[in-house]
Amino acid sequence: LLILKINGELILAQPSPKGFKRLDSTRVSRETTRALPALAGGVLYVRSNDGQGGGALTSWILGASQRGP
């Protein structure tokens, strides 16, 4: 389960009947994110809003973690 919070934090969670377990998170935008994200072909698209009628569309390729042991 991917959860995008209004503050630009993207959370990866494992849902269950008792709730969800937070697996990881990262900040994908420094601006407010009110639009629903889109996931297509392994790419996550996020639209931000700067509060003045502008914003940005950004994308991330999703896949295996690149973190070391």
Side-chain angles (χ1 to χ4, degrees), residues 3-68:
I3 302 165
L4 180 61
K5 295 176 65 176
I6 195 170
N7 68 357
E9 181 184 18
L10 182 68
I11 300 169
L12 174 63
Q14 181 178 359
S16 76
K18 294 182 180 182
F20 73 91
K21 178 180 177 183
R22 184 185 192 123
L23 301 175
D24 206 352
S25 66
T26 190
R27 179 146 328 251
V28 296
S29 177
R30 294 182 192 161
E31 299 172 342
T32 302
T33 53
R34 294 183 190 267
L36 294 173
L39 179 60
V43 180
L44 179 71
Y45 299 91
V46 175
R47 173 85 175 148
S48 64
N49 181 330
D50 66 5
Q52 299 178 12
L57 177 65
T58 52
S59 62
W60 290 267
I61 297 172
L62 303 181
S65 173
Q66 297 297 315
R67 295 181 184 174

